[in-house]
Amino acid sequence: MQIGKYILALDQGTTSSRAIVFNAYGAIVAQGQKEFKQYYPQPGYVEHDPVEILESQLFAIREAFHKAGIGAEDIAAIGITNQRETTVAWDARTGVPVCNAIVWQCRRTADECERLKQQGYADMIYDATGLVIDAYFSGTKMKWILDNIPAARQLADAGQLRFGTVDTWLIYTLTDGKIYVTDVTNASRTMLFNIHTKDWDDNLLQLLEIPKSALPQVVESSGVVGMCEDTVLGREIPIAGIAGDQNAALFGQCCFDPGMAKNTYGTGCFVLMNTGKQPVRSQNGLLTTIAWSVNGEVNYALEGSAFNAGSAINWLRDGLKMIETPAQADQLAESVPGTDGVYFVPAFTGLGAPYWDMYARGTLIGMTRGTTNAHVARAVLESIALESLDLIRCMERDAGACITELRVDGGASKSRFLMQFQSDILGTYVRRPKCVETTALGAAMLAGLAVGVWESKEELSEIWQLNRQFEPSMDAKEAAQRAEDWHRAVKRSMGWAK
């Protein structure tokens, strides 16, 4: 890397947009962040304003530049990582969104998903996409927009509608409408993309009545796709890396070899295992997805998603007013020796893998008159590790091998209590890197590979450095009993919204 040259990672998340400047050693130089509003027009609905997303992302970039004391001329390339499945629709002629973005957490298409299941399309969709039928994914969101927003159908009929996940929306706006693309990782989360042919699936487009003209070109995760306009940041900068947030985190954790796995503790909890060049069909309710595509080589992954993790800690703060900072949840949890039989299931927006219950809801069970806020806080933190346990055990059964180490990242991975309990309940090593911003780092790595900042994955592997390793200390019998009680609690939460 030339002196004074950096990589800019745009990390567009569910609740905030961030911009992080990395140097050639993978170290953070500066970062900016801007939260944006969450819209809940009715129960189960979650929306974002696409213009607010863009404005918050630009604010974060300017803040990062200011803190680093640099300008656009110091940036070698831009890498983009984003909340996946969230769906934006806009007018190709004006670039104006036709409605709010439908967020990945939104449950409004649950009935449509049930209809598809009842009509027998589950195997067809899984065979092509590696996904189960769920409101989580983008395809039914697009159908809802076409069916419920008159302007969207009119634009589609005229060939002027544009659908995109957030990566597509950002690239389109940053290039002043010149570039309309998504990468394979985001495309593989739409329930419309065939992960074997690596193209939009005509049968699925017909099933959901979505015109192919409204979908972007699909490109690799690493490679220059276009230039950020000079009117945006002061000079043109190549956009050279794109990956959905969890795929970017797998790359940023340097899980380049089959069998390597990571867990990101963000708004949700997302476990991914690299399965190499061949997709592995899950028999345990997990997803088969594309991990990334670099230099013409596609890697696949198994994925398990729990929809609520860090959001449960936020609920302690914002909903129950029990804590003011996440660190206080740790302090409360450590002030008691256990949960005293209390279990919490964070199914605020349903249950993801391996249950896939769109109608499950959050459940707090096992309370007595002796239950305190400390027991509740501890149960909330433990629930994040327990739902991750479910995902990892399913993954091990599908892969036919045990995970010997779990690499962790995301905001909640900073919790010493949670990481130790995760190691205890799993009975394996949990390894946290020095840089826990691996989602943004993965996007930077993909962009840097494309423009020659780094030459190979082997060179990238040298960037990963261990911060702390957690070793299991819980008796195996106790861990098994905890898991059994957790599953009893999960059953109580299922189907509640019906």
Side-chain angles (χ1 to χ4, degrees):
M1 181 181 277
Q2 300 175 26
I3 295 174
K5 292 293 183 181
Y6 305 98
I7 301 290
L8 174 64
L10 308 186
D11 184 358
Q12 203 300 300
T14 306
T15 58
S16 70
S17 297
R18 298 191 301 159
I20 303 182
V21 178
F22 290 93
N23 65 19
Y25 302 100
I28 294 174
V29 176
Q31 57 183 306
Q33 182 170 357
K34 178 73 171 177
E35 292 188 359
F36 54 89
K37 189 174 180 179
Q38 310 291 304
Y39 295 90
Y40 307 101
Q42 57 181 280
Y45 281 41
V46 189
E47 297 179 356
H48 292 157
D49 181 339
V51 175
E52 287 181 7
I53 288 176
L54 174 63
E55 290 174 347
S56 65
Q57 190 64 77
L58 293 173
F59 178 93
I61 294 170
R62 296 184 183 107
E63 183 178 44
F65 280 7
H66 176 73
K67 288 180 178 178
I70 62 173
E73 66 277 4
D74 298 303
I75 303 298
I78 295 172
I80 295 175
T81 183
N82 56 284
Q83 52 166 319
R84 302 173 303 173
E85 297 95 18
T86 294
T87 304
V88 185
W90 65 93
D91 186 332
R93 297 166 301 184
T94 64
V96 176
V98 299
C99 60
N100 274 349
I102 302 179
V103 179
W104 60 273
Q105 298 165 312
C106 189
R107 302 280 92 190
R108 76 183 63 190
T109 64
D111 290 344
E112 173 67 20
C113 290
E114 287 298 331
R115 182 185 68 81
L116 291 170
K117 290 177 186 177
Q118 291 168 6
Q119 292 178 349
Y121 290 112
D123 287 342
M124 168 189 168
I125 288 173
Y126 184 86
D127 289 343
T129 68
L131 306 177
V132 301
I133 298 174
D134 194 85
Y136 179 24
F137 304 111
S138 310
T140 58
K141 294 174 171 49
M142 295 180 192
K143 178 173 172 53
W144 188 95
I145 290 171
L146 287 168
D147 291 345
N148 291 275
I149 307 297
R153 178 60 70 183
Q154 293 164 10
L155 287 169
D157 291 343
Q160 296 296 329
L161 183 68
R162 296 291 179 263
F163 277 128
T165 41
V166 173
D167 59 310
T168 304
W169 168 244
L170 288 179
I171 293 167
Y172 190 87
T173 51
L174 292 175
T175 62
D176 195 26
K178 294 183 177 66
I179 306 297
Y180 182 46
V181 299
T182 189
D183 90 301
V184 290
T185 70
N186 282 291
S188 69
R189 310 295 296 190
T190 59
M191 220 168 75
L192 300 171
F193 186 76
N194 191 308
I195 61 172
H196 309 286
T197 64
K198 303 164 192 77
D199 197 1
W200 301 116
D201 190 286
D202 290 332
N203 292 328
L204 297 179
L205 294 179
Q206 183 176 1
L207 175 65
L208 294 178
E209 301 176 306
I210 295 169
K212 199 169 188 176
S213 62
L215 295 172
Q217 176 189 355
V218 182
V219 299
E220 286 200 292
S221 309
S222 181
V224 177
V225 297
M227 306 297 286
C228 176
E229 288 286 295
D230 55 8
T231 54
V232 178
L233 298 175
R235 70 175 279 270
E236 288 190 338
I237 307 172
I239 299 171
I242 317 166
D245 50 10
Q246 305 313 318
N247 311 69
L250 188 69
F251 200 85
Q253 286 278 25
C254 299
C255 293
F256 300 141
D257 298 324
M260 297 185 74
K262 70 88 196 175
N263 191 7
T264 297
Y265 302 81
T267 300
C269 224
F270 302 88
V271 183
L272 271 75
M273 175 196 282
N274 186 338
T275 62
K277 296 178 179 59
Q278 296 298 322
V280 173
R281 187 181 182 91
S282 176
Q283 304 298 324
N284 295 281
L286 301 182
L287 308 177
T288 303
T289 195
I290 293 178
W292 55 71
S293 177
V294 177
N295 294 327
E297 183 177 287
V298 172
N299 272 64
Y300 291 88
L302 280 169
E303 176 173 338
S305 308
F307 297 151
N308 290 279
S311 57
I313 300 173
N314 291 343
W315 173 70
L316 287 177
R317 181 193 65 193
D318 304 330
L320 298 188
K321 310 294 184 185
M322 190 179 290
I323 58 173
E324 292 182 356
T325 66
Q328 289 176 346
D330 266 30
Q331 294 165 11
L332 280 172
E334 291 174 335
S335 71
V336 288
T339 65
D340 203 20
V342 174
Y343 282 82
F344 176 68
V345 183
F348 297 124
T349 53
L351 288 170
Y355 305 102
W356 296 109
D357 185 342
M358 294 178 285
Y359 302 99
R361 289 296 180 265
T363 303
L364 188 62
I365 198 166
M367 293 175 289
T368 68
R369 283 293 301 274
T371 299
T372 68
N373 58 357
H375 295 120
V376 173
R378 185 170 180 128
V380 167
L381 289 175
E382 288 190 1
S383 75
I384 298 170
L386 287 161
E387 61 185 357
S388 299
L389 170 72
D390 284 343
L391 302 176
I392 291 164
R393 291 292 182 252
C394 291
M395 203 164 281
E396 290 174 331
R397 288 194 289 272
D398 282 332
C402 291
I403 292 174
T404 56
E405 82 170 60
L406 180 67
R407 295 190 173 187
V408 298
D409 55 70
S413 72
K414 298 172 184 175
S415 166
R416 190 213 64 80
F417 173 83
L418 175 56
M419 293 301 97
Q420 183 57 56
F421 186 76
Q422 186 73 84
S423 178
D424 288 342
I425 203 73
L426 273 176
T428 195
Y429 294 108
V430 168
R431 306 186 78 202
R432 185 174 63 197
K434 287 186 176 179
C435 177
V436 296
E437 301 292 354
T438 52
T439 300
L441 179 58
M445 287 176 167
L446 288 165
L449 274 178
V451 298
V453 172
W454 300 288
E455 298 297 329
S456 66
K457 292 176 185 174
E458 290 73 24
E459 188 177 350
L460 291 175
S461 293
E462 296 175 5
I463 290 174
W464 195 94
Q465 292 183 314
L466 180 68
N467 166 252
R468 181 166 178 180
Q469 178 168 282
F470 297 87
E471 301 180 12
S473 58
M474 184 181 290
D475 176 75
K477 188 175 181 180
E478 180 185 353
Q481 184 61 56
R482 294 282 195 97
E484 182 181 333
D485 291 340
W486 157 255
H487 292 139
R488 289 170 57 215
V490 169
K491 287 179 182 177
R492 301 297 197 283
S493 76
M494 296 178 75
W496 183 260
K498 287 184 179 179

